Each structure stands twice: as structure tokens, then as C-alpha cells.
mmCIF file of all heavy atoms in Angstrom:
data_model
loop_
_atom_site.group_PDB
_atom_site.id
_atom_site.type_symbol
_atom_site.label_atom_id
_atom_site.label_comp_id
_atom_site.label_asym_id
_atom_site.label_seq_id
_atom_site.Cartn_x
_atom_site.Cartn_y
_atom_site.Cartn_z
ATOM 1 N N SER A 1384 47.215 65.299 -33.059
ATOM 2 C CA SER A 1384 47.424 65.010 -34.480
ATOM 3 C C SER A 1384 46.961 66.134 -35.406
ATOM 4 O O SER A 1384 46.989 65.969 -36.625
ATOM 5 C CB SER A 1384 46.704 63.714 -34.854
ATOM 6 O OG SER A 1384 45.305 63.882 -34.708
ATOM 7 N N ILE A 1385 46.552 67.258 -34.837
ATOM 8 C CA ILE A 1385 46.073 68.383 -35.655
ATOM 9 C C ILE A 1385 47.123 69.488 -35.631
ATOM 10 O O ILE A 1385 47.532 69.917 -34.554
ATOM 11 C CB ILE A 1385 44.730 68.921 -35.120
ATOM 12 C CG1 ILE A 1385 43.633 67.866 -35.270
ATOM 13 C CG2 ILE A 1385 44.322 70.193 -35.856
ATOM 14 C CD1 ILE A 1385 42.290 68.281 -34.732
ATOM 15 N N PRO A 1386 47.555 69.958 -36.801
ATOM 16 C CA PRO A 1386 48.492 71.093 -36.823
ATOM 17 C C PRO A 1386 47.857 72.312 -36.138
ATOM 18 O O PRO A 1386 46.663 72.563 -36.286
ATOM 19 C CB PRO A 1386 48.709 71.360 -38.313
ATOM 20 C CG PRO A 1386 48.310 70.097 -38.989
ATOM 21 C CD PRO A 1386 47.242 69.480 -38.136
ATOM 22 N N LYS A 1387 48.637 73.022 -35.386
ATOM 23 C CA LYS A 1387 48.132 74.191 -34.644
ATOM 24 C C LYS A 1387 48.156 75.424 -35.540
ATOM 25 O O LYS A 1387 48.814 76.421 -35.258
ATOM 26 C CB LYS A 1387 48.970 74.441 -33.384
ATOM 27 C CG LYS A 1387 49.176 73.243 -32.484
ATOM 28 C CD LYS A 1387 47.893 72.652 -31.980
ATOM 29 C CE LYS A 1387 48.090 71.544 -30.995
ATOM 30 N NZ LYS A 1387 48.633 70.298 -31.494
ATOM 31 N N THR A 1388 47.431 75.350 -36.645
ATOM 32 C CA THR A 1388 47.368 76.457 -37.597
ATOM 33 C C THR A 1388 45.925 76.923 -37.743
ATOM 34 O O THR A 1388 44.980 76.163 -37.484
ATOM 35 C CB THR A 1388 47.904 76.022 -38.973
ATOM 36 O OG1 THR A 1388 47.162 74.881 -39.430
ATOM 37 C CG2 THR A 1388 49.391 75.659 -38.886
ATOM 38 N N ARG A 1389 45.785 78.161 -38.166
ATOM 39 C CA ARG A 1389 44.472 78.799 -38.289
ATOM 40 C C ARG A 1389 43.536 77.984 -39.196
ATOM 41 O O ARG A 1389 42.345 77.879 -38.924
ATOM 42 C CB ARG A 1389 44.675 80.222 -38.821
ATOM 43 C CG ARG A 1389 43.482 81.082 -38.707
ATOM 44 C CD ARG A 1389 43.825 82.537 -39.074
ATOM 45 N NE ARG A 1389 43.789 83.339 -37.867
ATOM 46 C CZ ARG A 1389 44.832 83.815 -37.226
ATOM 47 N NH1 ARG A 1389 46.040 83.598 -37.667
ATOM 48 N NH2 ARG A 1389 44.696 84.532 -36.138
ATOM 49 N N ASP A 1390 44.062 77.400 -40.262
ATOM 50 C CA ASP A 1390 43.207 76.653 -41.189
ATOM 51 C C ASP A 1390 42.711 75.332 -40.591
ATOM 52 O O ASP A 1390 41.845 74.675 -41.161
ATOM 53 C CB ASP A 1390 43.917 76.404 -42.521
ATOM 54 C CG ASP A 1390 45.141 75.517 -42.398
ATOM 55 O OD1 ASP A 1390 45.815 75.554 -41.347
ATOM 56 O OD2 ASP A 1390 45.431 74.784 -43.369
ATOM 57 N N GLN A 1391 43.218 74.947 -39.437
ATOM 58 C CA GLN A 1391 42.779 73.726 -38.763
ATOM 59 C C GLN A 1391 41.860 74.006 -37.578
ATOM 60 O O GLN A 1391 41.542 73.106 -36.806
ATOM 61 C CB GLN A 1391 43.996 72.931 -38.299
ATOM 62 C CG GLN A 1391 44.811 72.380 -39.446
ATOM 63 C CD GLN A 1391 43.998 71.438 -40.317
ATOM 64 O OE1 GLN A 1391 43.413 70.472 -39.829
ATOM 65 N NE2 GLN A 1391 43.930 71.722 -41.600
ATOM 66 N N LEU A 1392 41.426 75.265 -37.447
ATOM 67 C CA LEU A 1392 40.576 75.629 -36.314
ATOM 68 C C LEU A 1392 39.257 74.861 -36.312
ATOM 69 O O LEU A 1392 38.849 74.326 -35.288
ATOM 70 C CB LEU A 1392 40.319 77.141 -36.288
ATOM 71 C CG LEU A 1392 39.378 77.634 -35.183
ATOM 72 C CD1 LEU A 1392 39.879 77.207 -33.805
ATOM 73 C CD2 LEU A 1392 39.231 79.148 -35.263
ATOM 74 N N LEU A 1393 38.582 74.795 -37.437
ATOM 75 C CA LEU A 1393 37.288 74.102 -37.466
ATOM 76 C C LEU A 1393 37.446 72.601 -37.170
ATOM 77 O O LEU A 1393 36.698 72.069 -36.341
ATOM 78 C CB LEU A 1393 36.563 74.351 -38.785
ATOM 79 C CG LEU A 1393 35.104 73.928 -38.815
ATOM 80 C CD1 LEU A 1393 34.297 74.557 -37.680
ATOM 81 C CD2 LEU A 1393 34.480 74.302 -40.156
ATOM 82 N N PRO A 1394 38.403 71.903 -37.782
ATOM 83 C CA PRO A 1394 38.583 70.493 -37.383
ATOM 84 C C PRO A 1394 38.909 70.352 -35.893
ATOM 85 O O PRO A 1394 38.451 69.408 -35.247
ATOM 86 C CB PRO A 1394 39.749 70.018 -38.251
ATOM 87 C CG PRO A 1394 39.721 70.918 -39.442
ATOM 88 C CD PRO A 1394 39.240 72.263 -38.932
ATOM 89 N N ALA A 1395 39.687 71.279 -35.353
ATOM 90 C CA ALA A 1395 40.013 71.223 -33.921
ATOM 91 C C ALA A 1395 38.755 71.439 -33.080
ATOM 92 O O ALA A 1395 38.536 70.729 -32.092
ATOM 93 C CB ALA A 1395 41.068 72.281 -33.582
ATOM 94 N N LEU A 1396 37.927 72.412 -33.469
ATOM 95 C CA LEU A 1396 36.678 72.652 -32.744
ATOM 96 C C LEU A 1396 35.799 71.408 -32.755
ATOM 97 O O LEU A 1396 35.235 71.023 -31.727
ATOM 98 C CB LEU A 1396 35.915 73.828 -33.356
ATOM 99 C CG LEU A 1396 36.326 75.213 -32.895
ATOM 100 C CD1 LEU A 1396 35.784 76.278 -33.838
ATOM 101 C CD2 LEU A 1396 35.856 75.465 -31.475
ATOM 102 N N TRP A 1397 35.669 70.770 -33.915
ATOM 103 C CA TRP A 1397 34.831 69.574 -34.008
ATOM 104 C C TRP A 1397 35.371 68.454 -33.125
ATOM 105 O O TRP A 1397 34.619 67.759 -32.446
ATOM 106 C CB TRP A 1397 34.689 69.091 -35.447
ATOM 107 C CG TRP A 1397 33.580 69.800 -36.145
ATOM 108 C CD1 TRP A 1397 33.689 70.685 -37.172
ATOM 109 C CD2 TRP A 1397 32.180 69.724 -35.850
ATOM 110 N NE1 TRP A 1397 32.449 71.154 -37.529
ATOM 111 C CE2 TRP A 1397 31.499 70.579 -36.736
ATOM 112 C CE3 TRP A 1397 31.429 69.015 -34.911
ATOM 113 C CZ2 TRP A 1397 30.122 70.744 -36.722
ATOM 114 C CZ3 TRP A 1397 30.049 69.178 -34.900
ATOM 115 C CH2 TRP A 1397 29.415 70.036 -35.801
ATOM 116 N N ARG A 1398 36.683 68.270 -33.131
ATOM 117 C CA ARG A 1398 37.259 67.200 -32.319
ATOM 118 C C ARG A 1398 36.999 67.449 -30.830
ATOM 119 O O ARG A 1398 36.625 66.548 -30.086
ATOM 120 C CB ARG A 1398 38.753 67.080 -32.581
ATOM 121 C CG ARG A 1398 39.321 65.914 -31.812
ATOM 122 C CD ARG A 1398 40.586 65.364 -32.311
ATOM 123 N NE ARG A 1398 40.549 64.937 -33.692
ATOM 124 C CZ ARG A 1398 41.649 64.682 -34.388
ATOM 125 N NH1 ARG A 1398 42.829 64.797 -33.816
ATOM 126 N NH2 ARG A 1398 41.570 64.288 -35.627
ATOM 127 N N VAL A 1399 37.191 68.679 -30.402
ATOM 128 C CA VAL A 1399 36.960 69.033 -28.999
ATOM 129 C C VAL A 1399 35.473 68.904 -28.669
ATOM 130 O O VAL A 1399 35.092 68.364 -27.632
ATOM 131 C CB VAL A 1399 37.490 70.457 -28.715
ATOM 132 C CG1 VAL A 1399 37.027 70.977 -27.375
ATOM 133 C CG2 VAL A 1399 39.015 70.466 -28.798
ATOM 134 N N TYR A 1400 34.620 69.366 -29.577
ATOM 135 C CA TYR A 1400 33.172 69.291 -29.357
ATOM 136 C C TYR A 1400 32.701 67.838 -29.271
ATOM 137 O O TYR A 1400 31.858 67.494 -28.446
ATOM 138 C CB TYR A 1400 32.433 70.025 -30.479
ATOM 139 C CG TYR A 1400 30.951 70.059 -30.265
ATOM 140 C CD1 TYR A 1400 30.382 70.958 -29.374
ATOM 141 C CD2 TYR A 1400 30.104 69.192 -30.949
ATOM 142 C CE1 TYR A 1400 29.017 70.995 -29.159
ATOM 143 C CE2 TYR A 1400 28.735 69.214 -30.741
ATOM 144 C CZ TYR A 1400 28.201 70.120 -29.853
ATOM 145 O OH TYR A 1400 26.847 70.149 -29.641
ATOM 146 N N GLU A 1401 33.249 66.983 -30.124
ATOM 147 C CA GLU A 1401 32.852 65.575 -30.103
ATOM 148 C C GLU A 1401 33.208 64.910 -28.771
ATOM 149 O O GLU A 1401 32.543 63.975 -28.352
ATOM 150 C CB GLU A 1401 33.498 64.816 -31.259
ATOM 151 C CG GLU A 1401 32.856 65.142 -32.590
ATOM 152 C CD GLU A 1401 33.614 64.574 -33.785
ATOM 153 O OE1 GLU A 1401 34.760 64.081 -33.618
ATOM 154 O OE2 GLU A 1401 33.068 64.651 -34.887
ATOM 155 N N HIS A 1402 34.238 65.404 -28.125
ATOM 156 C CA HIS A 1402 34.600 64.849 -26.822
ATOM 157 C C HIS A 1402 33.723 65.411 -25.705
ATOM 158 O O HIS A 1402 33.157 64.654 -24.911
ATOM 159 C CB HIS A 1402 36.070 65.116 -26.483
ATOM 160 C CG HIS A 1402 36.408 64.688 -25.098
ATOM 161 N ND1 HIS A 1402 36.599 63.356 -24.766
ATOM 162 C CD2 HIS A 1402 36.536 65.382 -23.944
ATOM 163 C CE1 HIS A 1402 36.848 63.274 -23.473
ATOM 164 N NE2 HIS A 1402 36.816 64.483 -22.947
ATOM 165 N N PHE A 1403 33.602 66.742 -25.618
ATOM 166 C CA PHE A 1403 32.890 67.370 -24.507
ATOM 167 C C PHE A 1403 31.380 67.478 -24.740
ATOM 168 O O PHE A 1403 30.619 67.648 -23.806
ATOM 169 C CB PHE A 1403 33.453 68.774 -24.231
ATOM 170 C CG PHE A 1403 34.852 68.761 -23.680
ATOM 171 C CD1 PHE A 1403 35.929 69.090 -24.482
ATOM 172 C CD2 PHE A 1403 35.085 68.423 -22.355
ATOM 173 C CE1 PHE A 1403 37.215 69.081 -23.975
ATOM 174 C CE2 PHE A 1403 36.376 68.411 -21.843
ATOM 175 C CZ PHE A 1403 37.441 68.741 -22.653
ATOM 176 N N HIS A 1404 30.941 67.453 -25.994
ATOM 177 C CA HIS A 1404 29.532 67.575 -26.400
ATOM 178 C C HIS A 1404 28.949 68.965 -26.143
ATOM 179 O O HIS A 1404 27.729 69.132 -26.163
ATOM 180 C CB HIS A 1404 28.651 66.506 -25.749
ATOM 181 C CG HIS A 1404 29.110 65.121 -26.084
ATOM 182 N ND1 HIS A 1404 28.973 64.578 -27.343
ATOM 183 C CD2 HIS A 1404 29.735 64.183 -25.325
ATOM 184 C CE1 HIS A 1404 29.482 63.361 -27.343
ATOM 185 N NE2 HIS A 1404 29.958 63.095 -26.139
ATOM 186 N N TYR A 1405 29.784 69.927 -25.871
ATOM 187 C CA TYR A 1405 29.371 71.317 -25.753
ATOM 188 C C TYR A 1405 30.631 72.171 -25.713
ATOM 189 O O TYR A 1405 31.746 71.653 -25.557
ATOM 190 C CB TYR A 1405 28.507 71.564 -24.515
ATOM 191 C CG TYR A 1405 29.250 71.576 -23.199
ATOM 192 C CD1 TYR A 1405 29.447 72.774 -22.515
ATOM 193 C CD2 TYR A 1405 29.737 70.402 -22.628
ATOM 194 C CE1 TYR A 1405 30.122 72.789 -21.300
ATOM 195 C CE2 TYR A 1405 30.400 70.413 -21.425
ATOM 196 C CZ TYR A 1405 30.597 71.615 -20.760
ATOM 197 O OH TYR A 1405 31.259 71.637 -19.567
ATOM 198 N N LEU A 1406 30.457 73.465 -25.893
ATOM 199 C CA LEU A 1406 31.559 74.418 -25.772
ATOM 200 C C LEU A 1406 31.201 75.412 -24.681
ATOM 201 O O LEU A 1406 30.031 75.690 -24.455
ATOM 202 C CB LEU A 1406 31.781 75.154 -27.104
ATOM 203 C CG LEU A 1406 32.152 74.276 -28.302
ATOM 204 C CD1 LEU A 1406 32.205 75.103 -29.571
ATOM 205 C CD2 LEU A 1406 33.474 73.556 -28.070
ATOM 206 N N ASN A 1407 32.210 75.936 -24.017
ATOM 207 C CA ASN A 1407 31.996 76.987 -23.027
ATOM 208 C C ASN A 1407 33.219 77.902 -23.043
ATOM 209 O O ASN A 1407 34.199 77.606 -23.742
ATOM 210 C CB ASN A 1407 31.708 76.404 -21.638
ATOM 211 C CG ASN A 1407 32.892 75.694 -21.026
ATOM 212 O OD1 ASN A 1407 34.046 75.887 -21.405
ATOM 213 N ND2 ASN A 1407 32.624 74.849 -20.046
ATOM 214 N N PRO A 1408 33.196 79.007 -22.316
ATOM 215 C CA PRO A 1408 34.336 79.926 -22.351
ATOM 216 C C PRO A 1408 35.670 79.283 -21.956
ATOM 217 O O PRO A 1408 36.715 79.623 -22.522
ATOM 218 C CB PRO A 1408 33.933 81.022 -21.363
ATOM 219 C CG PRO A 1408 32.442 81.026 -21.418
ATOM 220 C CD PRO A 1408 32.067 79.579 -21.571
ATOM 221 N N ASP A 1409 35.657 78.352 -21.005
ATOM 222 C CA ASP A 1409 36.905 77.691 -20.605
ATOM 223 C C ASP A 1409 37.474 76.835 -21.737
ATOM 224 O O ASP A 1409 38.683 76.839 -21.986
ATOM 225 C CB ASP A 1409 36.683 76.811 -19.373
ATOM 226 C CG ASP A 1409 36.367 77.612 -18.121
ATOM 227 O OD1 ASP A 1409 36.746 78.801 -18.063
ATOM 228 O OD2 ASP A 1409 35.732 77.052 -17.203
ATOM 229 N N ILE A 1410 36.610 76.101 -22.406
ATOM 230 C CA ILE A 1410 37.049 75.249 -23.518
ATOM 231 C C ILE A 1410 37.562 76.118 -24.660
ATOM 232 O O ILE A 1410 38.627 75.850 -25.226
ATOM 233 C CB ILE A 1410 35.902 74.325 -23.979
ATOM 234 C CG1 ILE A 1410 35.580 73.305 -22.880
ATOM 235 C CG2 ILE A 1410 36.251 73.630 -25.292
ATOM 236 C CD1 ILE A 1410 34.316 72.491 -23.115
ATOM 237 N N ILE A 1411 36.824 77.166 -24.999
ATOM 238 C CA ILE A 1411 37.251 78.080 -26.068
ATOM 239 C C ILE A 1411 38.584 78.726 -25.699
ATOM 240 O O ILE A 1411 39.493 78.830 -26.528
ATOM 241 C CB ILE A 1411 36.179 79.164 -26.319
ATOM 242 C CG1 ILE A 1411 34.901 78.526 -26.869
ATOM 243 C CG2 ILE A 1411 36.695 80.247 -27.262
ATOM 244 C CD1 ILE A 1411 35.025 77.904 -28.226
ATOM 245 N N GLY A 1412 38.722 79.162 -24.446
ATOM 246 C CA GLY A 1412 39.959 79.786 -24.001
ATOM 247 C C GLY A 1412 41.151 78.853 -24.097
ATOM 248 O O GLY A 1412 42.241 79.259 -24.532
ATOM 249 N N GLU A 1413 40.959 77.615 -23.707
ATOM 250 C CA GLU A 1413 42.053 76.650 -23.756
ATOM 251 C C GLU A 1413 42.414 76.303 -25.196
ATOM 252 O O GLU A 1413 43.587 76.192 -25.550
ATOM 253 C CB GLU A 1413 41.692 75.383 -22.978
ATOM 254 C CG GLU A 1413 42.833 74.427 -22.802
ATOM 255 C CD GLU A 1413 44.061 75.044 -22.146
ATOM 256 O OE1 GLU A 1413 43.921 75.887 -21.233
ATOM 257 O OE2 GLU A 1413 45.190 74.674 -22.556
ATOM 258 N N LEU A 1414 41.421 76.153 -26.044
ATOM 259 C CA LEU A 1414 41.668 75.900 -27.459
ATOM 260 C C LEU A 1414 42.415 77.087 -28.072
ATOM 261 O O LEU A 1414 43.375 76.904 -28.827
ATOM 262 C CB LEU A 1414 40.338 75.661 -28.182
ATOM 263 C CG LEU A 1414 40.394 75.171 -29.607
ATOM 264 C CD1 LEU A 1414 41.134 73.853 -29.710
ATOM 265 C CD2 LEU A 1414 38.980 75.013 -30.143
ATOM 266 N N SER A 1415 41.994 78.286 -27.728
ATOM 267 C CA SER A 1415 42.659 79.502 -28.190
ATOM 268 C C SER A 1415 44.126 79.518 -27.766
ATOM 269 O O SER A 1415 45.022 79.791 -28.563
ATOM 270 C CB SER A 1415 41.923 80.722 -27.619
ATOM 271 O OG SER A 1415 42.692 81.889 -27.748
ATOM 272 N N ARG A 1416 44.367 79.209 -26.505
ATOM 273 C CA ARG A 1416 45.729 79.219 -25.969
ATOM 274 C C ARG A 1416 46.603 78.178 -26.669
ATOM 275 O O ARG A 1416 47.709 78.481 -27.115
ATOM 276 C CB ARG A 1416 45.698 78.955 -24.466
ATOM 277 C CG ARG A 1416 47.062 79.109 -23.787
ATOM 278 C CD ARG A 1416 47.020 78.691 -22.326
ATOM 279 N NE ARG A 1416 46.889 77.252 -22.149
ATOM 280 C CZ ARG A 1416 47.862 76.361 -22.394
ATOM 281 N NH1 ARG A 1416 49.027 76.753 -22.839
ATOM 282 N NH2 ARG A 1416 47.656 75.078 -22.176
#
């Protein structure tokens, strides 16, 4: 439900973080991709 645009990066990071409760290179890489 999040547009894949640069201005939505922080909301996307928060949503992913709220699920995994941490970030790592694999998560960052997949979010980047």
C-alpha cells in the first residue's frame, strides 16, 4: 500500500522495521531493490 517513490522511503522503513524489529544489510538491500 506504499507508493514506491523516494518520498515514501521513511514510511516504508518504519513499516518494515515494525515487522522485523531491526534492520540489516539484507533487509536494506531488499527494500532498496
Side-chain angles (χ1 to χ4, degrees):
S1384 65
I1385 295 178
K1387 309 301 185 290
T1388 56
R1389 193 172 251 106
D1390 64 328
Q1391 293 300 306
L1392 177 56
L1393 192 55
L1396 276 164
W1397 274 112
R1398 184 158 304 166
V1399 168
Y1400 184 78
E1401 286 171 350
H1402 174 77
F1403 292 104
H1404 302 289
Y1405 74 108
L1406 299 174
N1407 68 20
D1409 292 336
I1410 293 170
I1411 294 294
E1413 189 55 37
L1414 189 59
S1415 165
R1416 187 186 71 72

